[in-house]
Amino acid sequence: MGLGLLASRALRSSSSSRVFLSTSPRYNTLVRTIVSTPELHKPEAAAAEAPAEPDLPKRTPVAGARVHFPNPDDVIEVFVDGYPVKIPKGMTVLQACSVAGVDIPRFCYHDRLSIAGNCRMCLVEVEKSPKPVASCAMPALPGMKIKTDTPIAKKAREGVMEFLLMNHPLDCPICDQGGECDLQDQSMAFGSDRGRFTETKRSVVDKNLGPLVKTVMTRCIQCTRCVRFASEIAGVQDLGMLGRGSGEEIGTYVEKLMTSELSGNVIDICPVGALTSKPFAFKARNWELKGTESIDVTDAVGSNIRIDSRGPEVMRIVPRLNEDINEEWISDKTRFCYDGLKRQRLSDPMIRGADGRFQPVSWRDALAVVAEVIHQVKPEEIVGVAGKLSDAESMILLKDFLNKMGSNNIWCEGNGKNTDADLRSGYLLNSSISGLEKADCFLLVGTQPRVEAAMVNARIRKTVRATQAKVGYVGPATDFNYDHQHLGTGPETLAAIAEGTHPFSSALASAKNPAVIVGAGIFEREDKDAIFSVLQSLAAKNENLIRPDWNGLNVLLLNAAQAAALDLGLVPESDNAIESAKFVYLMGADDVNLDNLPKDAFVVYQGHHGDSGVYRANVILPSAVFSEKEGIYANTEGCAQQTVPAVPTVGDAREDWKIIRALSEVSGVRLPYDSISAVRSRIRTVAPNLLNLDEREPAAFSISLKPESPKKVSKSPFGVTVENFYMTDAITRASKIMAQCSAVLTKK
Amino acid sequence: MAFAMRVKVPPNSANLAEARHRTFDFFRTACRAIPSIMDIYNLYDVVNPSQLRSTIAAEIRKNAHISNPKVIDMLLFKGMEELSNITEHAKQRHHIIGQYVVGNHGLVQDVASKDEDLSPFLKNFYKSNYF
Ligand code: SF4
Ligand code: FES
């Protein structure tokens, strides 16, 4: 049988396949005419047969690819299948094709990684070049005539597929990647319809990369995406290529686990099933899953995620593209905390009996008990604490409810005492996460971004890698995955930098866009006002720090609820409210220190997990987790986003705002909000920025509006805020996978 | 299977008085079965015998308006069948709880008399999270 016939079969399947998007019908017919063998041997003939048509239909770029011309002189024109496109100089042939709306099959090429050019799947024909060229590694030249659909290109792809499949186990039925596998899709589209391989296949020993990533190394096609990801984005040199020729293997050189907080992303970038998710192994097929586009709440970054669920169960969490926040990566905590969503859940309202044990009761009884007690205490003895994972709706209702009860002691854990909530710039990442890429000098004060906000750290690393930006760090010794200078451990180093007596201050002063990032752990310090006034004087000295077009004074928050809580003005009235409290309403707050709470105080815990808050609670009101409710969260840069319910609530749990709304009615101070939109219009009156979903609302500029603090900074060094990256809140503490990770991966 | 209570189809009642008599008989049989029902379905922590007794009475009273002896006979037959299913453990605990302890109106203790002045929001809230 002729090779041409083979090629034509590939053609036919390709026109209907998902990978190979061809939008114009005319274009298809053009493709289908080229079937006979002679052209294969004479590329010129094939080119002659397809005359360049002047009025080809307009094509849409692949995945909405946009071109941005930094310099009008650098525009060149190339022809993709006869269709002229204008692209900036320096783009590769593959990028030019995607601008022209032609998706080139690929394995090793990835937008955010360096170019390896070793899989050869992206071969295209370029006029006047003797051989097909690897489009991902070839810069486009002016006037280049690129042909993506000639028999030569097809034949080349088919050949590459045949070689790749030679040593690939054909185990799709037992492979977790099945259904979302690039190799599977592309072999359907471009592969041969029969194999000619009769020898035995090679096999490769599986590597142990830790509790998150499962490896089946025989499936690896040596695209080296994972190696490049680890060394370029994650900044760990753990993975590498061993051996050569057919003995080539991906491995960790020595028996070692992958110790990166971003390691889960290799699962997404691996085009085959060599690296898959260990917790998700054999749990579900991707076509049975329902995807819900939501956001993550395990840190203050608000990474965009897709929650894949089957029935009432969350099966996995995968990232969603958001250039401004998480690009296309998420941290391991975000990705793998989902098993915590189904363990240790509170499902019924409960009241602690006289014997100290919890009795399940009805909502009616539970709310009646709480309402009775809240009327027996003095208004100033009522305290409300919102937890790390609270959404804006429930926080505003909690505040309104307790205000109606006469108390104004409501705060959100992690925000410390009398934090200044008046100026948004005082608690936000003012440069914005994507704006950090413009910075050329970083000063990290008392923050370990690698564990506090892994995605922000990835941005800093990206900037440092791209521009060799300087990084200075003040705080306890910690791990960085980029070059940095450890300047000192305590506030006095910061004071020295602000006074200009420290060598780093000159670097800061000469920088074009300096960025000072202060950890939110400072909020809990006694001398925090003094530290912030030192920062004020630093900003006053360095005019480049705060200008109309750049605000480099940043606070890196820790928890998802923090920014919204401050926007809504959840700040306590008195400093030691807990010591004198008689009635404490914990709304998912597990990390408040209740040691000083009077013995006879009545504690209501409204939350979703049986975590530390429950131990002291008298009444438990079960609520929904972020995957079960609709709620607004503001991330550390002030961008409001909303979670979307993916699965139903467990047991008799209710959404947080509904619980408070119901309780308010039972207590006789009915809040007039009956639906989530009513709550949101209430939010609009307090913090309208929270309703600008998916848009970052930058803080107004503020240059030394704050009064100078009379206090001196203390000598005590900055502390470590996040002890264990994998377990920071009720969900992650309930997760088994996260427990394994902290046992295996955290450095002791 | 040697079932304790075989349901036989009795001859029709001759008149309303006989049907009425049989109904009381049935009620008494059912009440006598309550201790063993409590035992086999382990209902001690959810209900007490007198509650079950009043549930049975309520179920019978539901049909108090029926005066046709044939219909009463048919209903009695159904009741006996149900009773034998229960005593033979042909049901499971949650059937009993669902049908006779909780009832159709959600939790028994939730159906309080003070419901009238509640807002629609609160009424819905007590029922479920989704409204
Ligand atoms: S493991 Fe996957 S990502 Fe890594 S080289 Fe192999 S195929 Fe590529
Ligand atoms: S994508 Fe071009 S060589 Fe792999």
Side-chain angles (χ1 to χ4, degrees):
Chain A
M1 76 164 287
L3 291 169
L5 198 52
L6 263 181
S8 75
R9 285 180 190 211
L11 290 182
R12 216 156 296 143
S13 63
S14 73
S15 55
S16 60
S17 82
R18 181 175 74 75
V19 182
F20 199 80
L21 289 163
S22 62
T23 39
S24 78
R26 193 150 171 208
Y27 173 74
N28 276 352
T29 51
L30 180 78
V31 163
R32 285 198 182 147
T33 53
I34 310 166
V35 284
S36 61
T37 332
E39 285 109 45
L40 274 181
H41 306 296
K42 278 189 279 159
E44 310 81 34
E49 204 185 86
E53 283 166 69
D55 54 359
L56 283 163
K58 193 100 185 100
R59 308 220 182 118
T60 30
V62 173
R66 261 172 294 162
V67 254
H68 163 70
F69 301 104
N71 183 353
D73 301 341
D74 286 349
V75 178
I76 57 173
E77 196 178 37
V78 297
F79 299 90
V80 179
D81 295 335
Y83 175 74
V85 274
K86 289 206 168 41
I87 51 162
K89 231 186 222 158
M91 260 197 171
T92 62
V93 173
L94 188 142
Q95 282 164 325
C97 291
S98 69
V99 172
V102 178
D103 202 2
I104 305 288
R106 70 199 70 177
F107 289 115
C108 68
Y109 176 79
H110 192 279
D111 294 344
R112 279 165 227 277
L113 302 176
S114 64
I115 293 165
N118 56 6
C119 75
R120 318 311 285 180
M121 189 62 196
C122 61
L123 294 176
V124 293
E125 204 186 329
V126 172
E127 218 173 275
K128 300 213 188 67
S129 93
K131 291 189 287 177
V133 297
S135 62
C136 71
M138 178 74 153
L141 300 174
M144 218 178 209
K145 296 212 168 54
I146 303 158
K147 306 223 172 64
T148 60
D149 247 323
T150 55
I152 296 252
K154 308 229 169 220
K155 200 69 211 128
R157 288 171 196 162
E158 196 182 305
V160 169
M161 275 319 302
E162 199 165 357
F163 275 115
L164 283 178
L165 292 178
M166 205 165 81
N167 272 326
H168 191 80
L170 303 176
D171 59 351
C172 304
I174 56 149
C175 176
D176 268 310
Q177 191 85 354
E180 49 184 358
C181 173
D182 289 357
L183 192 67
Q184 206 178 30
D185 293 348
Q186 296 187 21
S187 70
M188 293 306 287
F190 308 109
S192 166
D193 63 345
R194 65 204 60 194
R196 293 186 280 181
F197 185 71
T198 48
E199 284 92 286
T200 45
K201 291 184 184 252
R202 82 172 186 148
S203 66
V204 181
V205 181
D206 291 346
K207 313 291 185 296
N208 178 14
L209 294 186
L212 300 177
V213 183
K214 178 186 158 193
T215 62
V216 183
M217 279 328 217
T218 312
R219 294 182 191 143
C220 171
I221 57 169
Q222 279 80 36
C223 70
T224 68
R225 272 190 193 182
C226 55
V227 177
R228 281 174 285 147
F229 175 84
S231 58
E232 289 164 20
I233 311 269
V236 289
Q237 312 295 332
D238 286 354
L239 291 178
M241 185 71 110
L242 308 154
R244 52 189 301 166
S246 65
E248 215 169 47
E249 286 181 22
I250 299 290
T252 47
Y253 306 114
V254 289
E255 179 76 42
K256 185 170 180 294
L257 306 180
M258 198 171 165
T259 54
S260 164
E261 70 285 357
L262 301 178
S263 66
N265 293 300
V266 298
I267 297 164
D268 290 335
I269 57 162
C270 182
V272 300
L275 305 177
T276 51
S277 162
K278 207 173 248 183
F280 182 64
F282 308 131
K283 289 284 190 304
R285 282 301 196 179
N286 75 310
W287 57 83
E288 333 171 296
L289 300 175
K290 180 186 98 183
T292 310
E293 307 208 326
S294 187
I295 58 150
D296 167 53
V297 299
T298 52
D299 55 24
V301 181
S303 305
N304 287 217
I305 54 170
R306 196 183 76 217
I307 301 175
D308 280 349
S309 57
R310 190 178 58 188
E313 209 182 340
V314 175
M315 300 307 292
R316 66 171 176 182
I317 290 176
V318 287
R320 200 150 56 87
L321 184 73
N322 186 332
E323 290 293 347
D324 293 332
I325 297 174
N326 57 322
E327 300 185 278
E328 61 184 81
W329 320 119
I330 49 173
S331 72
D332 285 353
K333 183 163 60 169
T334 309
R335 186 185 295 263
F336 294 109
C337 70
Y338 63 85
D339 74 323
L341 298 175
K342 40 197 169 208
R343 304 179 74 242
Q344 303 241 326
R345 287 296 299 273
L346 302 171
S347 59
D348 286 300
M350 284 190 266
I351 297 181
R352 199 189 286 275
D355 55 351
R357 297 182 51 165
F358 280 113
Q359 278 291 326
V361 294
S362 71
W363 273 104
R364 193 182 293 268
D365 296 346
L367 294 186
V369 167
V370 177
E372 200 186 312
V373 177
I374 200 166
H375 279 297
Q376 287 164 1
V377 295
K378 287 202 222 78
E380 58 276 13
E381 291 168 345
I382 300 177
V383 164
V385 189
K388 289 174 173 179
L389 308 174
S390 311
D391 50 291
E393 287 90 350
S394 57
M395 286 193 286
I396 187 75
L397 249 62
L398 180 67
K399 185 169 159 64
D400 280 1
F401 169 54
L402 294 190
N403 284 356
K404 277 200 171 188
M405 295 308 299
S407 158
N408 201 11
N409 278 317
I410 306 119
W411 70 93
C412 174
E413 61 181 351
N415 279 351
K417 291 166 190 158
N418 62 42
T419 301
D420 188 3
D422 296 340
L423 292 170
R424 283 183 83 226
S425 61
Y427 54 85
L428 290 185
L429 196 80
N430 297 308
S431 318
S432 85
I433 297 176
S434 57
L436 288 178
E437 276 178 42
K438 288 198 223 95
D440 51 357
C441 179
F442 291 92
L443 176 62
L444 308 176
V445 181
T447 177
Q448 297 88 38
R450 197 169 174 189
V451 287
E452 288 177 15
M455 295 325 304
V456 173
N457 191 55
R459 272 307 163 137
I460 302 177
R461 177 174 158 79
K462 187 177 174 190
T463 315
V464 172
R465 240 180 79 83
T467 64
Q468 264 71 48
K470 269 210 181 87
V471 181
Y473 168 64
V474 184
T478 180
D479 239 13
F480 278 97
N481 46 11
Y482 38 83
D483 281 341
H484 70 285
Q485 284 168 274
H486 194 179
L487 308 173
T489 57
E492 65 279 356
T493 319
L494 184 65
I497 296 172
E499 275 155 30
T501 52
H502 196 280
F504 196 77
S505 22
S506 62
L508 212 55
S510 60
K512 210 146 83 253
N513 292 323
V516 178
I517 302 179
V518 187
I522 310 262
F523 284 156
E524 306 277 7
R525 279 173 70 98
E526 288 298 324
D527 59 344
K528 88 170 189 302
D529 288 332
I531 291 176
F532 275 103
S533 69
V534 169
L535 289 168
Q536 287 289 333
S537 64
L538 183 74
K541 273 232 177 59
N542 298 291
E543 267 137 38
N544 52 359
L545 199 55
I546 301 182
R547 329 183 283 259
D549 62 328
W550 172 258
N551 189 343
L553 200 53
N554 299 303
V555 177
L556 181 57
L557 296 177
L558 287 168
N559 311 325
Q562 259 175 316
L566 291 170
D567 280 348
L568 295 171
L570 260 71
V571 270
E573 200 173 39
S574 63
D575 275 359
N576 37 17
I578 283 277
E579 274 97 280
S580 58
K582 285 275 156 23
F583 179 94
V584 182
Y585 198 98
L586 301 177
M587 193 172 72
D590 292 301
D591 297 285
V592 272
N593 187 356
L594 294 179
D595 295 343
N596 293 332
L597 189 68
K599 284 276 162 302
D600 57 343
F602 188 84
V603 180
V604 180
Y605 181 78
Q606 166 186 335
H608 36 75
H609 278 79
D611 206 48
S612 44
V614 164
Y615 292 117
R616 179 65 183 76
N618 298 74
V619 173
I620 294 175
L621 306 176
S623 68
V625 292
F626 73 97
S627 60
E628 299 163 2
K629 68 178 170 192
E630 191 178 336
I632 294 175
Y633 291 85
N635 74 356
T636 180
E637 54 169 5
C639 174
Q641 301 178 96
Q642 137 174 314
T643 57
V644 178
V647 290
T649 51
V650 300
D652 215 12
R654 303 279 192 271
E655 277 168 52
D656 288 280
W657 73 267
K658 287 183 182 163
I659 298 176
I660 298 172
R661 160 67 182 76
L663 179 59
S664 74
E665 181 170 340
V666 177
S667 330
V669 288
R670 187 156 83 89
L671 297 169
Y673 319 116
D674 279 355
S675 65
I676 192 128
S677 49
V679 182
R680 291 199 176 156
S681 33
R682 166 73 183 131
I683 292 179
R684 177 165 289 126
T685 61
V686 183
N689 58 297
L690 288 178
L691 292 171
N692 260 345
L693 289 183
D694 299 324
E695 252 169 75
R696 186 176 115 79
E697 186 100 351
F701 289 107
S702 66
I703 301 170
S704 46
L705 285 169
K706 274 180 247 171
E708 284 280 306
S709 162
K711 279 191 241 150
K712 288 284 288 168
V713 294
S714 75
K715 282 268 175 296
S716 62
F718 292 120
V720 178
T721 331
V722 176
E723 297 278 355
N724 179 356
F725 166 69
Y726 295 102
M727 291 181 149
T728 48
D729 49 55
I731 298 175
T732 47
R733 277 190 291 255
S735 157
K736 208 165 147 192
I737 308 168
M738 291 292 103
Q740 280 169 5
C741 286
S742 28
V744 179
L745 297 177
T746 44
K747 298 209 177 79
K748 294 282 145 55
Chain B
M1 274 191 280
F3 284 161
M5 292 159 67
R6 274 266 154 230
V7 181
K8 282 193 221 76
V9 184
N12 282 352
S13 313
N15 50 26
L16 195 58
E18 188 181 346
R20 187 181 150 81
H21 182 75
R22 283 192 190 174
T23 311
F24 280 104
D25 261 357
F26 168 70
F27 178 63
R28 277 187 283 268
T29 335
C31 290
R32 279 184 211 114
I34 285 177
S36 71
I37 293 171
M38 298 278 292
D39 208 47
I40 52 182
Y41 296 101
N42 194 15
L43 297 175
Y44 296 105
D45 49 349
V46 289
V47 77
N48 53 33
S50 70
Q51 275 168 345
L52 278 184
R53 216 152 28 232
S54 45
T55 315
I56 298 169
E59 290 288 315
I60 293 175
R61 285 218 175 84
K62 254 201 252 169
N63 299 316
H65 57 282
I66 292 168
S67 53
N68 184 344
K70 280 193 171 165
V71 177
I72 297 176
D73 279 352
M74 185 272 296
L75 288 171
L76 271 179
F77 180 78
K78 285 180 129 182
M80 277 187 280
E81 193 179 25
E82 175 76 8
L83 181 64
S84 74
N85 280 345
I86 292 174
T87 48
E88 282 160 8
H89 213 160
K91 300 203 164 207
Q92 292 180 359
R93 186 165 185 259
H94 67 270
H95 295 125
I96 308 296
I97 294 180
Q99 282 173 33
Y100 299 106
V101 179
V102 179
N104 297 332
H105 316 289
L107 285 174
V108 174
Q109 55 262 54
D110 259 6
V111 191
S113 55
K114 54 192 174 195
D115 246 6
E116 282 72 62
D117 48 344
L118 298 185
S119 72
F121 178 92
L122 201 55
K123 276 188 200 151
N124 290 330
F125 178 84
Y126 286 143
K127 279 197 204 115
S128 100
N129 184 35
Y130 297 100
F131 53 87

